[in-house]
C-alpha cells in the first residue's frame, strides 16, 4: 500500500495522503503515531496545575454546539465581578496552581477595559502566574463590537499580562460546516490570521479542533493541514512564536442545538489523535484533553500519539454544560498514579512545556 510506504519513509503527507490514512486500522496508525510521539517527547506524559475561569456565559453569539452560552434573559446568565474572579485566583494560587485559563462569552456589557483590567490586576498580584486568555473568537468579537483592530487588541493583551493564547474558537475550518454550526463568529481565515499576528509578536498559542458533530473525516484532515501551514509560516520567523499544542476536542452532545444523535466511539477518537500526530510534524505536542475524551481514554491515547492530558482544571463550565464529566477537575495525585500505571513518565510542566517536576 502506497500510504504505508510513505509513512515508513517519514515523508510529509499531503491532503490526499491524509484522507487515505483513514483506511488504515487503529493499530497501524497507532504504531506510526507512537513512533513520532516517542521521538518528540519520549515516554513523558505532560500535565499542568491549572485552573479554568469562565467569567461570564452571557453571549451575543449563538453557536449551535454550545451549551454554555446564555441569552441575557436566561435566568442562568451570569457575569462574575472582578472581586469574585480575584477570590478564585487567590484560592487556586494558594493550592499551587501555575496557570490560569480565562475564556469568557462574547458579553456586550463587559468593556475591553474592564476585561483587560482583570488580567492586569492578576498579573500585578501574581507576576509568576501564567495567564492564558482570549481566544481568537473573543478578539474577533471585539473587532465587531468595539471596532478594535486585531493588532490593537493583541498589543493591549501583551501590556495587560496575557502570556499565551488558548486554542478555542477554531471549531472546524471548513467554511460550509462553519456556516452551519457557528455562523457569524470568527471565520477560519480570521482565526488563523489572529494566531499568526500573535506568533509574529514572538508569542505562543494552542490550536483546537472540535470534532464528532456534522463534519466529515476529510474536513478534519483539511483543518489539521491548515494548522500545519500556519505553523510552518510562524516557525520560519524563528522568534519563538508558534503553536505549542494541538487539541482535538471531542464534541459533547447534551443541551445544545446541533442535534447530533450518534456519539463517536473510542476507536474513531484514537484514530483522530493518531492522524493528528502523524500529520502535524511541526507541532511539538498533541493534547488528549481528558475533559472531552474521559481520563481513561486520554491515557490510552498516549499510546496513539498524544503526550499531554491538559491539567487539573479544578472547575470547567464549557464542556461540562454539554455533558462532559469535567465540572470538578482532577487531582494531581490521580494524574501521577494513572500515568505511572500506564507505563509512562508523569511530568508536571508549565504552560510553555518547561518541565517543573518529573515523577519517576
Ligand atoms: O472553542 C464548545 C469547545 C472550546 C462544546 O488552549 C465544546 O489549552 C465539546 O478551546 N463539546 C473552548 N467542546 C475550550 C478550549 C480549550 C480547552 C482546553 C484547553 C485549551 C487550550 C483550549 O470548547 C470552544 C469549542 O470548540 N466546545 N461546546 C461541546 N458541546
Amino acid at each position: 500500500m502506497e500510504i504505508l510506504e510513505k509513512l515508513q519513509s517519514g515523508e510529509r503527507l499531503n491532503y490526499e495522503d491524509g484522507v487515505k490514512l483513514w483506511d488504515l486500522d487503529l493499530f497501524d496508525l497507532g504504531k506510526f503515531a507512537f513512533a513520532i510521539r516517542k521521538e518528540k517527547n519520549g515516554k513523558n506524559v505532560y500535565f499542568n496545575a491549572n485552573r479554568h475561569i469562565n467569567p461570564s456565559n452571557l453571549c451575543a453569539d449563538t453557536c449551535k454546539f454550545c451549551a454554555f452560552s446564555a441569552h441575557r434573559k436566561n435566568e442562568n446568565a451570569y457575569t462574575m465581578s472582578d472581586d469574585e474572579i480575584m477570590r478564585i485566583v487567590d484560592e487556586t494560587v494558594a493550592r499551587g496552581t501555575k496557570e490560569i485559563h480565562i475564556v469568557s462569552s462574547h458579553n456586550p456589557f463587559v468593556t475591553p477595559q474592564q476585561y483587560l483590567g482583570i488580567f492586569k490586576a492578576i498579573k500585578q498580584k501574581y507576576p509568576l502566574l501564567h495567564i492564558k486568555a482570549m481566544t481568537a473568537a473573543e478578539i474577533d468579537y471585539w473587532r465587531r463590537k468595539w471596532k478594535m483592530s486585531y493588532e490593537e487588541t493583541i498589543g493591549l493583551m501583551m501590556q495587560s499580562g496575557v502570556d499565551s493564547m488558548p486554542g478555542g474558537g477554531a471549531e472546524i475550518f471548513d467554511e460550509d460546516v462553519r456556516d452551519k454550526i457557528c455562523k457569524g463568529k470568527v471565520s477560519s481565515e480570521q482565526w488563523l490570521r489572529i494566531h499568526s499576528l500573535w506568533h509574529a509578536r514572538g508569542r505562543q498559542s494552542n490550536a483546537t479542533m472540535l470534532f464528532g458533530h456534522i463534519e466529515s473525516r476529510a474536513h478534519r484532515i483539511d483543518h489539521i493541514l491548515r494548522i500545519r501551514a500556519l505553523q510552518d509560516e510562524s516557525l520560519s520567523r524563528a522568534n519563538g512564536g508558534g503553536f505549542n499544542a494541538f487539541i482535538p476536542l471531542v464534541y459533547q452532545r447534551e443541551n445544545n442545538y446541533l442535534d447530533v444523535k450518534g456519539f463517536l466511539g473510542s476507536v474513531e477518537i484514537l484514530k483522530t489523535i493518531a492522524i493528528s500526530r502523524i500529520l502535524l510534524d511541526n507541532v511539538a505536542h498533541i493534547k488528549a484533553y481528558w475533559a472531552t475524551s474521559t481520563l481513561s481514554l486520554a491515557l490510552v491515547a498516549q499510546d496513539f500519539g498524544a503526550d499531554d492530558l491538559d491539567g487539573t482544571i479544578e472547575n470547567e463550565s464549557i464542556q461540562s454544560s454539554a455533558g462532559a464529566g469535567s465540572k470538578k477537575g482532577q487531582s494531581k495525585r490521580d494524574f501521577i498514579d494513572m500515568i505511572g500505571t500506564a507505563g509512562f513518565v508523569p511530568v508536571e510542566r508549565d504552560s510553555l512545556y518547561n518541565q517543573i517536576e518529573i515523577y519517576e
Side-chain angles (χ1 to χ4, degrees):
M1 203 188 211
E2 191 197 339
I3 188 68
L4 277 174
E5 279 163 27
K6 280 198 176 177
L7 279 166
Q8 260 140 13
S9 73
E11 79 181 81
R12 186 173 249 206
L13 304 183
N14 60 25
Y15 173 79
E16 286 74 26
D17 299 326
V19 171
K20 282 187 203 145
L21 288 176
W22 293 107
D23 297 335
L24 299 181
D25 72 29
L26 178 61
F27 290 104
D28 274 337
L29 285 173
K31 189 178 76 186
F32 289 106
F34 184 75
I36 299 167
R37 176 241 204 268
K38 206 158 164 226
E39 195 188 311
K40 287 188 187 292
N41 296 297
K43 291 210 83 182
N44 292 347
V45 174
Y46 293 100
F47 65 91
N48 72 346
N50 66 348
R51 163 80 196 209
H52 283 218
I53 303 180
N54 306 116
S56 177
N57 65 350
L58 196 161
C59 196
D61 282 310
T62 48
C63 299
K64 285 197 176 153
F65 53 77
C66 185
F68 168 68
S69 78
H71 186 266
R72 67 190 161 80
K73 290 187 178 157
N74 183 323
E75 58 180 32
N76 296 319
Y78 73 84
T79 303
M80 291 179 186
S81 67
D82 292 5
D83 285 349
E84 261 175 283
I85 296 170
M86 194 55 97
R87 204 174 324 121
I88 296 172
V89 174
D90 289 338
E91 286 167 8
T92 194
V93 168
R95 281 193 290 270
T97 292
K98 308 274 189 312
E99 168 194 290
I100 212 93
H101 177 162
I102 306 179
V103 170
S104 200
S105 56
H106 305 163
N107 185 328
F109 305 108
V110 177
T111 63
Q113 290 70 26
Q114 282 173 279
Y115 200 25
L116 292 165
I118 296 168
F119 305 142
K120 240 186 214 158
I122 296 173
K123 203 58 174 188
Q124 228 158 37
K125 198 163 180 185
Y126 300 109
L128 298 180
L129 183 66
H130 185 102
I131 304 180
K132 180 163 78 178
M134 295 286 295
T135 64
E138 291 176 275
I139 294 174
D140 184 64
Y141 179 65
W142 285 8
R143 177 191 62 80
R144 286 185 279 143
K145 171 72 186 169
W146 306 102
K147 314 285 174 258
M148 290 166 65
S149 70
Y150 299 151
E151 288 85 349
E152 183 185 2
T153 298
I154 283 173
L156 290 169
M157 283 161 58
M158 291 172 68
Q159 280 170 27
S160 308
V162 175
D163 295 291
S164 69
M165 271 179 67
E171 322 313 357
I172 273 281
F173 290 144
D174 178 82
E175 280 74 10
D176 290 338
V177 177
R178 217 172 165 81
D179 246 24
K180 292 190 183 108
I181 66 172
C182 55
K183 198 175 172 64
K185 197 164 86 165
V186 63
S187 71
S188 314
E189 204 186 310
Q190 289 164 334
W191 190 98
L192 290 161
R193 171 150 179 73
I194 291 166
H195 281 262
S196 172
L197 289 168
W198 181 251
H199 296 169
R201 304 292 294 267
R203 296 300 182 110
Q204 298 177 17
S205 67
N206 289 331
T208 57
M209 171 175 77
L210 182 67
F211 74 108
H213 44 89
I214 61 166
E215 91 292 357
S216 67
R217 287 170 157 185
H219 291 140
R220 289 180 218 154
I221 303 297
D222 166 61
H223 186 99
I224 292 167
L225 293 185
R226 291 200 214 188
I227 300 284
R228 188 176 77 181
L230 175 55
Q231 180 79 331
D232 275 345
E233 195 188 302
S234 296
L235 294 184
S236 73
R237 285 194 203 100
N239 65 354
F243 292 118
N244 271 329
F246 179 65
I247 314 166
L249 299 169
V250 184
Y251 168 68
Q252 311 291 304
R253 63 184 165 173
E254 287 176 23
N255 306 319
N256 69 61
Y257 293 103
L258 215 45
D259 197 25
V260 173
K261 299 273 188 295
F263 197 59
L264 286 189
S266 48
V267 172
E268 186 72 8
I269 295 171
L270 291 176
K271 275 187 153 188
T272 304
I273 288 173
I275 287 174
S276 305
R277 179 62 290 166
I278 290 168
L279 291 177
L280 286 172
D281 51 11
N282 55 3
V283 175
H285 302 283
I286 305 288
K287 198 182 271 191
Y289 182 52
W290 67 265
T292 63
S293 66
T294 74
L295 183 54
S296 298
L297 194 65
L299 286 162
V300 178
Q302 306 304 314
D303 273 310
F304 291 84
D307 58 277
D308 189 90
L309 295 171
D310 197 74
T312 45
I313 296 179
E314 288 194 352
N315 183 302
E316 193 281 326
S317 302
I318 300 179
Q319 276 100 11
S320 60
S321 310
S326 46
K327 186 71 202 156
K328 293 209 175 347
Q330 277 292 334
S331 78
K332 202 161 120 177
R333 191 68 256 163
D334 281 355
F335 274 155
I336 294 166
D337 289 348
M338 290 184 183
I339 294 168
T341 310
F344 287 91
V345 181
V347 180
E348 182 178 347
R349 59 164 174 85
D350 69 9
S351 307
L352 305 179
Y353 289 86
N354 299 301
Q355 301 187 358
I356 295 177
E357 190 154 359
I358 303 171
Y359 297 87
E360 282 193 284

